[in-house]
């Protein structure tokens, strides 16, 4: 039995008297690779946020809105994953002119995600997919064993989605991703949690599961 | 473009870097009449003094009487051509400073009260009481002939402040402007320095059909050259005496026209005691 | 507020005093069309000084303001900034003239001090509104400085740059104006030229001034800023800056100490009694009439600016005029709003004599042109329904109702600016607070001058608070860095 990292007990979240999550209980064990699936509005993002708040925030996070600093380059955004590891002076130095040492650290991450040629481009000049990969790069660079991603590849094309997702899986022991692409979700996770109108309707191992097994989640 | 700008500004900076002369002797003058060409006029005086004293002498222009006094007080100028009132104020603020010279005309200086022709006023030897209720302009707020003395006579004859005597009181800024404001009718009455009046009249700047003198004040001491007492210590002993000699020997009519004076004669602080008395009386000196 | 303005009209001193203004107008027009660039002594030096003072004042104010913005959550810092920006740069210059004399430092500080207060306020607001979505992903153990420079600063930086450029333009205007109190900038010669009726010379100086302002975007590269600062430091006249610390100490420990305390030996009841008499006289004879005149002038000018805005904004709006008409409108508004109101007032003063009228017209024109420009721009993005009326009907029934709230917001923002300008116009002889301050400096009575300046600042702060309250109550919001 693996160690439990996070757990929720009968959690209900309401907003304006309307339940977004109702009565959710779950346990996340170390080493599990979990996909959150369900229609948009089913409560995936809220659940992910809830788990993130329950963590000590030393989790690598890719929020849906990405949280990039749009005027800074890809390098700086990725570098921000490790902002807490250095003093203010070193950080300011790297803001003004990236040091050789940090370039050596950051470049491989950007290369893996296909961003090597855009390393010094301001993020606001990039496409949606490139921005999403930058946010993933920052999360990976953080070097945390746990990764939370809210639709981290929604704007990335299919071929690159595989590269990105396998990189995420390889670099983190525990991963929770909310996904709308059911095929990708089943391919990369070992456990799938299905939400429908804020209620947990499915929580199973993905072994032997077919995409059609999830159809129920997407029917009115 | 970028390179062009860099080059351009480097050139500007080389040409325009202000040279800092160590131990330059600096003087100023109150801006009492036409301010344009003030610099070209007084730069000639600076050249004269440089030649006479064999040290670097520079003139700096100021915009107001107060600024002239402040510059003198702060030792940014060591010598100044002051009016009676500004000279008294400056010497009160800088102990050891002395009046060393004055214009030939200055011991018997006068203020002219002038009026626009529409008032119908004519010249008289008595103070024109009839000016009450009209509009009136002084010269600069810190001027002796344009403010102190006329205010003194106004208060003396009306026992009231000018604000209560006239329907409107203005400060033109300098004597030439007082003349032109009364000439244009902007003000009905004005008080101006008699030397500037004579100079502008001679230069044909005054239309006597529009503006004329209606009263002349009794005479009083006015302009003077005042020097700081620490000049001997800072610039070499005997300099005060040499400056005085140079000023008294100034005979070039072209240079004298800047003031405008016929020549300079010796002066002392005591010569200006009447100004101190009057200044205290009307509350311009504490 | 309208009521106050109406009452103000009744008490205002509005009349044309000169007998023959048309003669002067003709001479002025002739002068304007025949600029003479060679008449003025030391014109090049004045141009160089104007630019150098502006660059150094804005740079130093920017630097100070940035750090003040970081401490803006402290109440004392906020109040201090509000106070230093409530005092007009010309008043600062008059104060520093006493302390540092006619030195480069006087000019730089006169701009930098009030500007730092303005920068602090605007920068604090920009930082407040910076996009902080990235904050969520950053580890909680990250240092505060690191978070600041990576999260808030990059987003704010672009706004800082835009705002600094705008401030540089204001700085050039202020720098030129400092010449009116004796610093060797363009205003020094401009005032002389106007006052002596040398309109060809004045016209030349104004043309040069407009050219500097109009080309600002061509030469103000961010990369060149360090070079500009170095060059400016080299060219400004340090020669006279024989700054002695004794002067500074004397100013604070003697000059500005109220007269009864200064002359008194041991401080006793009599000292306090004479101080009370001193301050009562000062307040009744100078401060009170000054305050009343300042408020009257401000209110009339504000309403005037509002009325002119409503006439001006259609001139540059594509909803009312074609390309040609709009271009003319733009030229008119650019000239009106880049001419400092101080100079406009001086021109009208020469034409109409020293009543409040010149000041009213100058302030209304300048501020009307600024707000008119912003409103005109605002109408550009408006979408009209296809069957919208045209001309007057479009103006009255469609455009005006839609932009009315925006218009009020801008107008209230300018309220405090107009009051600050009103006070300063006193130096030209209009009996607002500035007149009494200028008189106190002329009489070398710095104790009175400082007290009157503080009263002026408090009046400005009062208007600032009132304007903010009204805007909040009417729920008017707009970008501060536009104004």
């Amino acid at each position: 039995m693996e160690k439990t990292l996070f757990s929720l007990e009968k959690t209900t979240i309401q907003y304006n008297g309307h339940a977004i999550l109702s009565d959710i209980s779950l346990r996340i064990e170390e080493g599990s690779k979990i996909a959150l699936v369900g229609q948009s509005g089913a409560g995936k993002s809220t659940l992910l946020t809830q788990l993130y708040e329950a963590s000590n925030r030393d989790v690598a996070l890719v929020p849906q809105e990405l949280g990039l600093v749009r005027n800074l380059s890809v390098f700086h955004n990725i570098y921000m994953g490790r902002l807490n590891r250095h003093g203010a002076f070193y950080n300011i130095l790297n803001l003004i002119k990236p040091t050789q040492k940090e370039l050596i650290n950051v470049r491989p991450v950007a290369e893996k995600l296909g961003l090597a040629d855009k390393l010094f481009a301001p993020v606001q000049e990039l496409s949606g997919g490139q921005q999403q990969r930058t946010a993933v790069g920052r999360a990976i660079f953080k070097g945390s064993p746990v990764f939370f991603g809210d639709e981290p590849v929604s704007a990335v094309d299919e071929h690159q989605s595989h590269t990105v997702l396998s990189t995420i899986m390889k670099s983190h022991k525990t991963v929770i991703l909310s996904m709308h692409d059911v095929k990708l979700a089943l391919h990369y996770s070992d456990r799938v949690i299905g939400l429908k109108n804020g209620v947990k309707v499915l929580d199973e191992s993905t072994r032997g599961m077919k995409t059609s097994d999830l159809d129920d989640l997407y029917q009115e | 473009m970028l390179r062009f700008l860099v080059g351009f500004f480097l050139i500007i900076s080389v040409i325009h870097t202000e040279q800092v002369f160590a131990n330059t002797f600096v003087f100023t003058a109150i801006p009492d009449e036409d301010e344009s060409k003030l610099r070209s006029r007084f730069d000639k005086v600076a050249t004269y003094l440089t030649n006479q004293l064999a040290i670097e002498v520079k003139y700096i222009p100021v915009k107001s009487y107060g600024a002239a006094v402040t510059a003198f007080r702060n030792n940014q100028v060591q010598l100044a051509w002051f009016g009676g009132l500004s000279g008294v104020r400056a010497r009160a603020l800088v102990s050891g400073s002395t009046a060393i010279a004055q214009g030939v005309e200055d011991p018997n200086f006068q203020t002219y009260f002038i009026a626009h022709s529409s008032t119908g006023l004519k010249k008289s030897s008595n103070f024109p009481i009839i000016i009450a209720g009209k509009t009136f302009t002084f010269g600069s707020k810190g001027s002796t002939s344009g403010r102190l003395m006329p205010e003194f006579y106004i208060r003396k004859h009306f026992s009231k402040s000018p604000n209560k005597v006239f329907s409107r009181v203005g400060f033109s800024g300098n004597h030439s402007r007082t003349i032109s404001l009364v000439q244009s009718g902007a003000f009905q009455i004005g008080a101006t320095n008699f030397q500037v009046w004579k100079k502008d009249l001679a230069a044909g700047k005054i239309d006597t059909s529009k503006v004329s003198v209606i009263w002349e004040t009794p005479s009083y001491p006015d302009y003077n050259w005042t020097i700081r007492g620490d000049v001997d210590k800072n610039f070499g002993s005997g300099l005060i005496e040499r400056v005085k000699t140079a000023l008294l020997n100034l005979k070039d009519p072209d240079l004298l026209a800047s003031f405008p004076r016929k020549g300079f004669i010796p002066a002392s602080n005591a010569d200006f005691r009447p100004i101190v008395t009057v200044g205290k009386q009307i509350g311009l000196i504490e | 507020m309208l009521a106050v303005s109406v009452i103000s009209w009744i008490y205002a001193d509005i009349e044309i005093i000169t007998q023959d203004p048309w003669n002067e107008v003709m001479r002025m027009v002739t002068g304007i069309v025949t600029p003479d660039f060679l008449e003025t002594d030391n014109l090049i030096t004045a141009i160089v000084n104007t630019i150098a003072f502006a660059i150094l004042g804005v740079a130093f104010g920017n630097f100070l303001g940035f750090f003040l913005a970081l401490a803006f959550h402290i109440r004392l810092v906020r109040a201090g900034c509000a106070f230093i920006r409530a005092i007009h740069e010309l008043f600062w210059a008059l104060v520093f003239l006493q302390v540092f004399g006619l030195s480069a430092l006087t000019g730089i500080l006169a701009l930098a001090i009030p500007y730092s207060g303005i920068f602090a306020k605007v920068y604090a607001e920009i930082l407040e509104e910076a996009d902080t979505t990235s904050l969520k992903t950053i580890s909680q153990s990250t240092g505060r400085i690191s978070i600041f420079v990576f999260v808030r600063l990059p987003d704010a930086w672009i706004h800082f740059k835009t705002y600094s450029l705008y401030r540089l333009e204001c700085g050039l205007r202020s720098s030129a104006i400092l010449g009116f109190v004796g610093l060797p900038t363009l205003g020094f010669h401009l005032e002389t030229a106007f006052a002596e009726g040398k309109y060809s010379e004045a016209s030349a100086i104004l043309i040069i001034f407009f050219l500097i302002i109009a080309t600002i975007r061509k030469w103000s590269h961010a990369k060149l800023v360090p070079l500009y600062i170095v060059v400016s430091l080299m060219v400004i006249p340090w020669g006279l800056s024989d700054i002695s610390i004794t002067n500074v100490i004397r100013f604070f420990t003697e000059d500005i100490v109220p007269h009864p305390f200064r002359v008194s030996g041991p401080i006793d009841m009599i000292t306090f009694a004479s101080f009370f008499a001193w301050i009562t006289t000062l307040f009744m004879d100078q401060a009170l009439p000054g305050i009343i005149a300042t408020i009257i002038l401000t209110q009339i000018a504000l309403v005037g600016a509002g009325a002119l805005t409503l006439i001006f904004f259609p001139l540059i709006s594509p909803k009312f005029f074609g390309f040609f008409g709009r271009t003319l409108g733009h030229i008119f508004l650019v000239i009106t709003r880049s001419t400092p109101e101080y100079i406009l007032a001086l021109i009208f003063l020469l034409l109409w004599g020293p009543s409040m009228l010149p000041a009213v017209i100058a302030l209304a024109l300048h501020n009307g042109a600024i707000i008119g420009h912003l409103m005109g721009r605002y109408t550009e993005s408006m979408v009209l329904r296809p069957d919208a009326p045209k001309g007057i009907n479009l103006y009255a029934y469609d455009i005006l109702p839609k932009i009315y709230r925006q218009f009020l917001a801008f107008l209230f923002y300018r309220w405090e600016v107009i009051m600050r300008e009103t006070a300063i116009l006193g130096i030209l002889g209009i009996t607002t607070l500035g007149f009494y301050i200028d008189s106190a400096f002329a009489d070398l009575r710095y104790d009175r001058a400082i007290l009157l300046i503080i009263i002026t600042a408090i009046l400005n702060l009062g208007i600032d608070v009132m304007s903010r309250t009204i805007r909040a109550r009417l729920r008017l919001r707009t970008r501060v860095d536009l104004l």
Side-chain angles (χ1 to χ4, degrees):
Chain A
M1 192 69 192
E2 295 283 351
K3 189 171 91 182
T4 301
L5 285 179
F6 319 106
S7 60
L8 294 178
E9 286 298 326
K10 298 190 184 251
T11 301
T12 299
I13 301 284
Q14 288 194 333
Y15 185 73
N16 282 347
H18 172 78
I20 297 167
L21 289 180
S22 7
D23 214 17
I24 304 252
S25 297
L26 60 88
R27 208 177 283 273
I28 311 286
E29 284 90 22
E30 191 173 29
S32 50
K33 307 275 198 284
I34 299 171
L36 294 175
V37 293
Q39 281 185 305
S40 59
K44 300 185 301 260
S45 294
T46 315
L47 180 58
L48 205 62
T49 310
Q50 204 57 34
L51 286 167
Y52 183 66
E53 308 263 290
S55 77
N56 58 0
R57 288 200 172 203
D58 266 331
V59 166
L61 175 74
V62 177
Q64 200 158 29
E65 70 279 8
L66 305 180
L68 295 170
V69 180
R70 298 172 50 79
N71 303 316
L72 291 184
S73 68
V74 171
F75 166 84
H76 287 115
N77 272 282
I78 295 179
Y79 175 82
M80 281 175 77
R82 287 189 189 168
L83 219 46
N84 61 329
R85 296 199 191 176
H86 307 290
F89 180 75
Y90 187 79
N91 284 337
I92 293 173
L93 201 70
N94 272 288
L95 181 65
I96 296 165
K97 193 180 185 318
T99 57
Q100 207 53 43
K101 186 173 158 227
E102 293 304 326
L103 275 173
I104 290 167
N105 290 338
V106 169
R107 201 187 291 276
V109 178
E111 272 166 3
K112 261 183 245 166
L113 296 167
L115 290 166
D117 56 329
K118 298 279 181 198
L119 201 54
F120 298 109
V123 163
Q124 61 191 353
E125 288 169 12
L126 302 184
S127 70
Q130 288 167 330
Q131 293 190 356
Q132 224 166 20
R133 281 181 274 146
T134 308
V136 170
R138 178 190 58 208
I140 291 174
F141 191 63
K142 192 167 191 176
S144 162
V146 187
F147 183 101
F148 286 4
D150 194 349
E151 302 280 2
V153 290
S154 59
V156 178
D157 67 47
E158 202 191 329
H159 169 69
Q160 275 177 327
S161 292
H162 285 289
T163 328
V164 172
L165 286 171
S166 54
T167 312
I168 293 174
M169 295 302 169
K170 255 184 269 165
S171 349
H172 303 84
K173 203 167 178 196
T174 313
V175 176
I176 307 178
L177 303 173
S178 83
M179 306 271 284
H180 70 281
D181 187 322
V182 177
K183 223 169 81 188
L184 281 176
L186 292 185
H187 188 267
Y188 283 99
S189 62
D190 54 23
R191 174 179 164 194
V192 62
I193 296 174
L195 291 176
K196 194 170 186 180
N197 300 328
V199 181
K200 189 173 88 175
V201 292
L202 178 87
D203 187 352
E204 286 174 28
S205 161
T206 53
R207 193 164 302 155
M209 199 182 266
K210 294 191 287 294
T211 55
S212 56
D213 295 341
L214 297 172
D215 284 351
D216 271 357
L217 287 169
Y218 294 92
Q219 265 148 26
E220 287 305 319
Chain B
M1 184 66 183
L2 222 63
R3 263 195 208 156
F4 165 76
L5 284 170
V6 172
F8 179 73
F9 282 100
L10 283 177
I11 290 167
I12 287 271
S13 68
V14 171
I15 295 173
H16 263 275
T17 299
E18 188 88 3
Q19 278 156 308
V20 184
F21 298 106
N23 236 16
T24 305
F25 186 80
V26 187
F27 77 97
T28 191
I30 48 168
D32 63 332
E33 51 171 329
D34 286 356
E35 287 165 28
S36 64
K37 305 293 169 194
L38 210 57
R39 191 162 198 150
S40 10
R41 278 188 349 234
F42 279 102
D43 276 347
K44 286 186 214 156
V45 180
T47 313
Y48 169 79
L49 288 174
T50 303
N51 292 337
Q52 293 288 311
L53 303 173
I55 54 166
E56 182 74 37
V57 178
K58 229 182 121 192
Y59 159 78
I60 57 159
V62 290
K63 205 77 186 166
S64 69
Y65 288 47
V69 176
T70 308
F72 186 77
R73 183 192 195 192
N74 289 348
N75 200 13
Q76 290 185 323
V77 302
Q78 288 74 43
L79 174 73
W81 174 241
F82 282 128
L85 178 61
S86 43
V88 164
R89 279 175 165 159
R91 290 191 294 274
L93 290 169
V94 183
S95 60
S97 56
T98 46
I100 50 171
Q102 57 188 330
V104 175
E105 298 85 345
D106 284 301
N108 296 303
F109 216 77
Q110 279 180 301
T111 294
Y112 285 175
F113 278 55
I114 55 173
H116 189 255
S117 54
S118 65
T119 59
L121 294 175
K122 292 279 166 293
K123 190 162 178 177
S124 129
S125 56
N126 296 324
F127 183 83
I129 299 287
I130 196 164
I131 59 177
K134 299 203 171 2
T135 60
F136 181 89
T137 184
F138 289 111
S140 161
K141 286 171 183 170
S143 162
T144 310
S145 51
R147 164 81 188 278
L148 180 73
M149 295 317 291
E151 179 161 345
F152 173 71
Y153 285 107
I154 289 162
R155 283 176 184 269
K156 188 176 161 194
H157 286 97
F158 294 105
S159 306
K160 276 192 286 189
S161 71
N163 275 324
K164 299 204 167 81
V165 173
F166 300 108
S167 63
R168 181 189 292 281
V169 173
F171 291 94
S172 72
N174 69 46
H175 301 298
S176 338
R177 220 179 292 172
T178 302
I179 299 171
S180 67
L181 284 176
V182 177
Q183 179 163 304
S184 76
F187 284 95
Q188 292 171 297
I189 315 285
T192 193
N193 171 321
F194 85 130
Q195 280 304 110
V196 175
W197 173 270
K198 285 180 180 168
K199 183 184 167 196
D200 283 3
L201 195 64
K205 289 185 190 166
I206 298 174
D207 178 353
T208 45
S209 71
K210 285 189 176 155
V211 58
S212 59
V213 176
I214 55 165
W215 187 62
E216 299 176 1
T217 62
S219 67
Y220 54 85
D222 202 344
Y223 290 72
N224 53 85
W225 282 104
T226 293
I227 194 162
R228 287 179 64 96
D230 53 14
V231 163
D232 277 358
K233 194 183 88 200
N234 297 337
F235 290 85
S237 101
L239 188 69
I240 295 180
E241 234 3 82
R242 281 163 58 214
V243 171
K244 186 171 178 175
T245 315
L247 290 171
L248 298 180
N249 288 337
L250 182 56
K251 303 289 182 221
D252 182 349
D254 184 35
L255 293 187
L256 287 168
S258 303
F259 294 93
R261 294 293 182 274
K262 290 201 179 71
F264 291 112
I265 55 172
S268 72
N269 291 2
D271 294 341
F272 301 91
R273 254 181 227 134
I275 298 292
V276 179
T277 316
V278 170
K280 282 192 173 153
Q281 224 170 321
I282 66 171
L284 282 176
I285 301 175
E286 265 152 345
Chain C
M1 203 189 94
L2 206 64
V4 176
S5 305
V6 171
I7 296 168
S8 300
W9 271 106
I10 300 169
Y11 287 100
D13 166 29
I14 306 259
E15 65 177 306
I16 292 179
I17 294 154
T18 27
Q19 305 267 331
D20 186 13
W22 289 112
N23 189 14
E24 201 69 14
V25 171
M26 280 319 295
R27 292 189 47 223
M28 222 176 247
V29 172
T30 318
I32 284 166
V33 294
T34 55
D36 181 347
F37 292 89
L38 301 174
E39 183 59 20
T40 315
D41 290 349
N42 309 94
L43 188 58
I44 304 284
T45 312
I47 297 169
V48 171
N49 282 338
T50 304
I51 300 175
F53 276 128
I55 286 172
L56 291 175
V58 172
F60 190 39
N62 210 332
F63 180 79
L64 281 178
F66 174 75
F67 287 100
L68 286 170
L70 298 184
F72 217 64
H73 53 277
I74 303 168
R75 186 187 271 270
L76 194 68
V77 172
R78 262 203 318 275
C81 289
F83 184 76
I84 56 176
R85 67 171 183 267
I87 299 172
H88 195 280
E89 45 270 28
L90 264 185
F91 289 148
W92 280 114
L94 283 171
V95 171
F96 289 126
L97 272 174
Q98 315 310 322
V99 186
F100 304 121
L102 273 172
S103 81
L105 203 57
T106 299
I108 296 169
L109 289 180
L111 294 181
I113 300 287
Y115 279 23
S116 67
I118 300 171
F119 272 120
K121 180 187 174 193
V122 173
Y123 279 8
E125 276 178 46
I126 291 173
L127 285 171
E128 189 74 23
E129 284 169 18
D131 175 16
T132 53
T133 47
S134 60
L135 207 54
K136 202 173 153 187
T137 65
I138 285 177
S139 173
Q140 276 179 319
S141 60
T142 314
R144 279 176 57 188
I145 297 176
S146 297
I147 290 187
F148 175 79
V149 295
F150 271 84
V151 176
R152 282 190 193 270
L153 201 55
D155 191 43
W157 194 255
I158 293 171
H159 298 292
F160 285 179
K161 267 165 63 174
T162 321
Y163 188 72
S164 299
L165 186 63
Y166 167 72
R167 265 291 127 195
L168 181 61
E169 192 183 321
C170 302
L172 284 167
R173 250 179 292 172
S174 304
S175 166
I177 285 296
L178 290 184
F180 283 67
V181 293
L183 286 152
T185 61
L186 283 173
F188 190 99
H189 306 287
L190 194 59
E191 200 251 1
T192 307
F194 268 123
E196 286 171 24
K198 297 185 171 159
Y199 298 124
S200 297
E201 203 179 322
S203 161
I205 298 172
L206 276 178
I207 289 171
I208 288 169
F209 179 67
F210 288 139
L211 281 179
I212 295 172
I213 299 244
T215 56
I216 199 166
R217 269 159 219 284
K218 302 259 182 264
W219 51 266
S220 57
H221 295 277
K223 277 183 193 159
L224 291 180
V225 168
L227 174 76
Y228 285 151
I229 292 177
V230 172
V231 172
S232 301
L233 283 172
M234 285 168 71
V235 298
I236 49 168
W238 292 103
L240 289 169
S241 329
D242 191 16
I243 293 152
S244 79
I245 193 76
T246 41
N247 287 347
V248 180
I249 294 170
R250 187 198 60 209
F251 184 75
F252 287 105
T253 58
E254 289 175 35
D255 293 359
I256 64 169
V257 176
H259 184 253
F261 288 116
R262 211 181 327 140
V263 294
S264 145
I267 291 169
D268 51 21
M269 284 313 287
I270 300 162
T271 319
F272 278 102
S274 64
F275 173 67
F276 186 73
W278 178 82
I279 209 161
T280 313
T281 319
L282 182 64
F283 192 78
M284 296 311 288
D285 290 356
Q286 306 197 1
L288 201 58
I291 290 171
I292 293 170
T294 304
I295 292 175
I296 288 176
L297 184 51
T298 305
Q299 292 313 109
I300 301 176
L302 184 68
V303 172
L308 285 180
T309 301
L310 298 181
I311 299 170
F312 286 165
F313 86 82
L315 300 180
I316 60 161
S317 169
K319 304 290 185 286
F320 296 99
F321 287 98
F323 176 77
F324 184 67
R326 280 207 313 280
T327 309
L328 287 179
H330 270 297
I331 293 173
F332 170 69
L333 289 192
V334 163
I335 291 179
T336 322
R337 71 170 195 273
S338 12
T339 315
E341 44 274 70
Y342 197 80
I343 289 169
L344 284 177
L346 180 71
I347 295 173
F348 296 133
L349 208 60
L350 292 168
L351 293 181
W352 301 321
S355 76
M356 270 192 189
L357 185 69
V360 169
I361 304 290
L363 288 168
L365 264 179
H366 179 78
N367 289 289
I370 288 178
I371 310 174
H373 169 76
L374 293 170
M375 299 305 305
R377 276 279 146 84
Y378 187 73
T379 60
E380 281 173 8
S381 56
M382 285 171 69
V383 182
L384 299 180
R385 61 194 155 91
D387 59 339
K390 286 206 172 0
I392 292 285
N393 286 333
L394 173 70
Y395 179 82
Y397 285 93
D398 198 335
I399 304 259
L400 197 54
K402 280 182 188 157
I403 62 167
Y404 192 67
R405 290 174 60 78
Q406 192 64 35
F407 163 69
L408 279 185
F410 283 141
L411 201 57
F412 279 121
Y413 264 115
R414 291 304 290 188
W415 197 7
E416 181 233 3
V417 182
I418 290 177
M419 171 160 280
R420 227 175 331 152
E421 287 293 335
T422 305
I424 206 72
L425 290 179
I427 295 179
L428 292 176
I430 299 147
T431 54
T432 58
L433 282 162
F435 174 82
Y436 297 101
I437 294 171
D438 180 55
S439 302
F441 276 117
D443 291 347
L444 313 172
R445 285 170 165 152
Y446 309 120
D447 47 354
R448 296 186 185 191
I450 294 293
L451 199 65
L452 289 169
I453 286 178
I454 292 172
I455 290 172
T456 312
I458 292 171
L459 195 62
N460 275 323
L461 287 177
I463 292 288
D464 197 18
V465 170
M466 208 142 68
S467 146
R468 233 181 306 143
T469 316
I470 293 174
R471 273 180 286 143
R473 198 162 290 169
L474 299 176
R475 298 214 175 73
L476 301 171
R477 266 191 68 81
T478 185
R479 292 266 309 283
V480 256
D481 49 326
L482 284 175
L483 290 163

